[in-house]
Amino acid sequence: MIAPKPSVSTLKPYVPDEHQCAIKLDANEAKPFLFPQGLQFADMPLHRYPDPGTDALKKSIAAQYGVNPGNIMTGNGSSALIELVIKTFVAPGEVVISFKPSFAMFGIYSRIHGADFSEVDSEADFSFDLDKMITAVRSKRAKLVILCSPNNPTGYLIPKAELVRFLQSVDALVLVDEAYMEFADQGETLVHEIGTYTNLIVTRTFSKAFGLAGIRLGYLFANPSLVGMLGRVQEPYHLNTITQVIGCMAMSRMAEVKTYTASVRRLRQEVMVRLRDLGIKTYPSSGNFIWFETEQKDLYQKLIAKDILIRAFGGQDTCYFRVTIGDEQENNAFINALKEILS
Ligand SMILES: *Cc1c(COP(=O)(O)O)cnc(C)c1O
């Protein structure tokens, strides 16, 4: 029998929930709204390899965010970029550190690449204590810190002022995963700090606010020196032509993205209030989802029986759940199902 390398032999795969439910509120996907218009496959040179530098796409992202194309790297989903950062900067045995709970892929990629993955617990209200993280980074001599803000699955947003203080306090490389930042209050992004902090990388994705999870497209911001190092490791032709074309199209339609995220924020507040009215403990969220707590431990299965899929956390006797904000109809169906289950 061929065995995988030791770091992989104990690894549990990331298994997406394949339950087929009519109402799918488990994966933080958006409603479809950015329909590519006038996209003609015949116009694309699909017999050629894609543009290796993804130059047109980087230019349109740069213009949108007011940075230079040299500050940007694109990837096959931001997940691939998180892995690229680990591959480029973290040697086997070096420490990657993150908060818990957070996005599962941080630990999975770290372990695949032989890193020593370490976690700092969230507070009881699922906020992050960055002083605890500073202490842990120093005592473990962490090479890479991954901070997810707004955090998946809890929705906690790290205030920008705290993140700036954190960046001033550690020498480690700091990756801030802003997959959900478009759903947060304005002015909290770290994108514009990349010129000040040479140890900062900010990742973004088209999978959530842009409603384009199916094209697999992410991007990151960092100073040109870090971007250059990542470029040595990234595989050639990493982004297919179709994705590059749709990405440029999406970047030119930011007004529609803003309208969409504003509607999700409004619906999030509605769902939050209705959950609280049902006596369910909720936590403030800056994402397109809500993290909540209930004694109804088999809620996940009972909702599936009603054709509604959400995420349950923490194994069998869990009482924490994450529900994606759907459209008005889906949210109503979810709240009504919950009412029936709880009564
Ligand atoms: C969904 C998500 C991503 C995005 O992954 P893609 O590979 O871009 O689809 C990244 N980080 C977090 C925390 C997420 O929840």
Side-chain angles (χ1 to χ4, degrees):
M1 266 281 279
I2 307 284
K5 62 183 181 178
S7 63
V8 172
S9 62
T10 53
L11 202 65
K12 291 196 194 80
Y14 181 89
V15 187
D17 195 333
E18 304 269 19
H19 278 97
Q20 299 297 318
C21 289
I23 298 182
K24 191 174 180 315
L25 301 176
D26 67 309
N28 297 345
E29 293 146 327
K31 297 301 114 196
F33 68 97
L34 265 192
F35 298 106
Q37 287 155 354
L39 200 62
Q40 296 285 346
F41 289 112
D43 295 343
M44 296 181 200
L46 295 183
H47 63 300
R48 301 287 189 202
Y49 279 104
D51 171 8
T54 67
D55 291 340
L57 179 57
K58 282 181 183 168
K59 242 177 104 176
S60 57
I61 297 171
Q64 192 61 50
Y65 290 86
V67 301
N68 295 317
N71 291 122
I72 295 168
M73 182 66 94
T74 56
N76 206 5
S78 58
S79 313
L81 288 169
I82 294 162
E83 180 174 28
L84 179 66
V85 169
I86 293 169
K87 266 170 141 168
T88 303
F89 293 102
V90 184
E94 288 187 321
V95 172
V96 177
I97 191 163
S98 190
F99 278 106
K100 180 185 179 176
S102 196
F103 189 42
M105 295 312 299
F106 302 155
I108 293 177
Y109 287 138
S110 296
R111 292 187 183 105
I112 288 171
H113 294 288
D116 176 358
F117 184 68
S118 175
E119 292 171 301
V120 171
D121 282 326
S122 299
E123 302 305 291
D125 63 356
F126 293 101
S127 65
F128 293 160
D129 183 339
L130 288 182
D131 286 320
K132 280 187 190 164
M133 184 56 87
I134 291 171
T135 304
V137 167
R138 289 181 182 157
S139 71
K140 293 178 188 294
R141 299 178 199 284
K143 180 68 182 283
L144 171 65
V145 187
I146 307 183
L147 301 174
C148 187
S149 178
N151 187 41
N152 176 9
T154 60
Y156 176 71
L157 177 88
I158 307 171
K160 184 175 173 180
E162 277 191 47
L163 264 176
V164 164
R165 189 173 61 87
F166 181 77
L167 284 163
Q168 291 165 346
S169 309
V170 299
D171 294 327
L173 183 61
V174 179
L175 187 159
V176 181
D177 181 342
E178 294 191 351
Y180 299 97
M181 189 53 87
E182 295 92 342
F183 301 103
D185 290 342
Q186 273 190 2
E188 297 290 345
T189 179
L190 266 282
V191 168
H192 305 291
E193 305 307 315
I194 53 166
T196 309
Y197 302 100
T198 54
N199 58 336
L200 172 64
I201 296 175
V202 179
T203 57
R204 291 284 189 107
T205 180
F206 283 73
S207 298
K208 310 288 158 56
F210 289 81
L212 293 170
I215 68 168
R216 309 301 304 124
L217 179 55
Y219 49 111
L220 66 74
F221 300 96
N223 70 68
S225 155
L226 292 182
V227 170
M229 295 174 204
L230 293 167
R232 296 183 205 163
V233 178
Q234 188 158 54
E235 71 269 34
Y237 309 119
H238 62 282
L239 207 62
N240 75 73
T241 299
I242 300 167
T243 291
Q244 294 190 39
V245 170
I246 300 177
C248 287
M249 177 279 301
M251 267 296 142
S252 73
R253 291 168 61 183
M254 206 53 115
E256 287 162 81
V257 175
K258 291 203 168 122
T259 303
Y260 174 72
T261 53
S263 79
V264 172
R265 286 164 58 97
R266 183 174 47 76
L267 292 168
R268 178 179 72 204
Q269 184 54 26
E270 274 178 32
V271 174
M272 189 77 84
V273 168
R274 292 170 80 185
L275 285 171
R276 286 179 191 160
D277 287 348
L278 290 174
I280 289 172
K281 184 158 176 52
T282 60
Y283 293 84
S285 175
S286 294
N288 63 341
F289 54 85
I290 294 175
W291 176 248
F292 65 95
E293 185 179 354
T294 159
E295 280 155 27
Q296 192 70 230
K297 293 195 165 77
D298 48 3
L299 181 64
Y300 168 78
Q301 280 302 340
K302 285 183 169 164
L303 283 169
I304 287 180
K306 294 178 181 290
D307 223 5
I308 299 171
L309 190 62
I310 66 168
R311 274 290 293 272
F313 283 81
Q316 272 169 350
D317 45 22
T318 177
C319 48
Y320 288 103
F321 302 90
R322 188 195 71 197
V323 62
T324 304
I325 304 302
D327 61 23
E328 234 163 302
Q329 216 179 331
E330 291 171 322
N331 297 338
N332 287 341
F334 166 66
I335 294 288
N336 290 334
L338 212 50
K339 263 185 205 158
E340 284 175 25
I341 291 166
L342 295 176
S343 67

